[in-house]
């Protein structure tokens, strides 16, 4: 008997489990922060975006492969649909943002450069929110003044994402000391 040569798969099972776990953890943490904060007020909105972006930074540092943001967006949307009955119309925007974010990381030095990862996650967050606002504009185009409040809420949430980029780097630093993130 000869040794069968196994074809190496791009995604390892461990990496897929990590992506799924982080997607579910992000949704559960966001939901718990919104409930504990008394609903969607500016403080809980910023805090839940800090936590979500921090977890996304840790995920991208842990799984350094092209497509991690796209796969995260897909799984995150599915978890949102199952947990919260989320809007399926947000899925195309998240996928586009994931593909663009992954492409940006590859064009700016790949997954080995720390600043490329942070900028890629920041671009992913910005594009996913911008595309959602564009979709919202299409649904309220008869009365565009309704979009002003949504834009303010998205801007407040994105400040939480910007703060989450920094706190995510601090989490990665501590997780390196613990041996959880190795690169």
């Amino acid at each position: 008997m000869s040794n069968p040569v196994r074809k190496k798969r791009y995604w390892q099972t461990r990496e897929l489990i990590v992506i799924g776990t982080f997607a579910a953890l992000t949704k559960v943490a966001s939901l718990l922060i919104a409930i504990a904060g008394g609903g969607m007020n500016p403080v809980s909105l910023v805090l839940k975006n800090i936590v979500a972006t921090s977890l996304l930074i840790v995920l991208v540092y842990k799984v350094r492969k092209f497509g991690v943001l796209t796969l995260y967006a897909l799984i995150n949307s599915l978890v949102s649909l199952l947990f919260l009955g989320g809007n399926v119309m947000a899925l195309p925007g998240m996928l586009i943002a994931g593909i663009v974010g992954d492409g940006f990381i590859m064009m700016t030095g790949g997954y080995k450069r720390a600043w490329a990862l942070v900028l890629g996650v920041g671009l992913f967050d910005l594009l996913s929110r911008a595309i959602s606002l564009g979709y919202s504009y299409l649904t309220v185009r008869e009365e565009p003044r309704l979009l002003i409040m949504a834009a303010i809420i998205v801007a407040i949430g994105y400040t939480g994402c910007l703060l989450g980029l920094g706190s995510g780097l601090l989490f990665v630093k501590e997780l390196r000391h613990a041996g959880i993130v190795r690169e």
Side-chain angles (χ1 to χ4, degrees), residues 2 12 30 33 44 56 59 61 68 77 79-80 90 95 116 134 146 153 158 167 178-179 181:
S2 65
Q12 296 176 1
S30 296
I33 290 170
S44 65
L56 187 55
L59 171 66
Y61 267 84
V68 68
S77 296
V79 168
S80 177
L95 286 176
L146 292 173
I153 291 170
Y158 191 68
S167 65
V181 175

Side-chain angles (χ1 to χ4, degrees), residues 5-159:
V5 178
R6 289 189 177 198
K7 185 178 180 183
K8 188 173 180 180
R9 295 183 179 149
Y10 185 71
W11 292 103
Q12 296 176 1
T13 305
R14 176 186 56 84
E15 295 167 342
L16 294 173
I17 290 170
V18 167
I19 293 171
T21 302
F22 271 81
L25 182 63
T26 300
K27 279 298 171 193
V28 169
S30 296
L31 181 64
L32 289 176
I33 290 170
I35 290 171
M40 292 310 279
N41 57 51
V43 174
S44 65
L45 184 64
V46 168
L47 187 60
K48 80 179 196 77
N49 281 301
I50 289 172
V51 170
T53 303
S54 297
L55 288 172
L56 187 55
I57 289 283
V58 171
L59 171 66
V60 172
Y61 267 84
K62 180 82 173 146
V63 181
R64 291 180 179 225
K65 287 188 176 177
F66 180 79
V68 68
L69 289 175
T70 306
L71 194 55
Y72 170 81
L74 178 66
I75 295 171
N76 194 5
S77 296
L78 289 174
V79 168
S80 177
L81 178 68
L82 293 174
F83 277 178
L84 309 169
N87 190 356
V88 181
M89 295 306 292
L91 178 62
M94 291 278 291
L95 286 176
I96 291 169
I99 291 168
V100 171
D102 282 327
F104 180 80
I105 291 172
M106 288 302 291
M107 288 189 316
T108 57
Y111 285 84
K112 298 294 181 196
R113 303 203 188 269
W115 60 271
L117 296 176
V118 173
L119 289 178
V121 170
L123 181 65
F124 169 76
D125 281 335
L126 179 67
L127 281 178
S128 64
R129 281 151 175 65
I131 292 171
S132 294
L133 275 176
Y135 171 71
S136 297
Y137 174 75
L138 290 176
T139 58
V140 297
R141 63 181 171 252
E142 289 84 19
E143 187 57 49
R145 289 179 290 177
L146 292 173
L147 193 64
I148 294 171
M149 186 57 73
I152 292 170
I153 291 170
V154 168
I156 292 170
Y158 191 68
T159 59

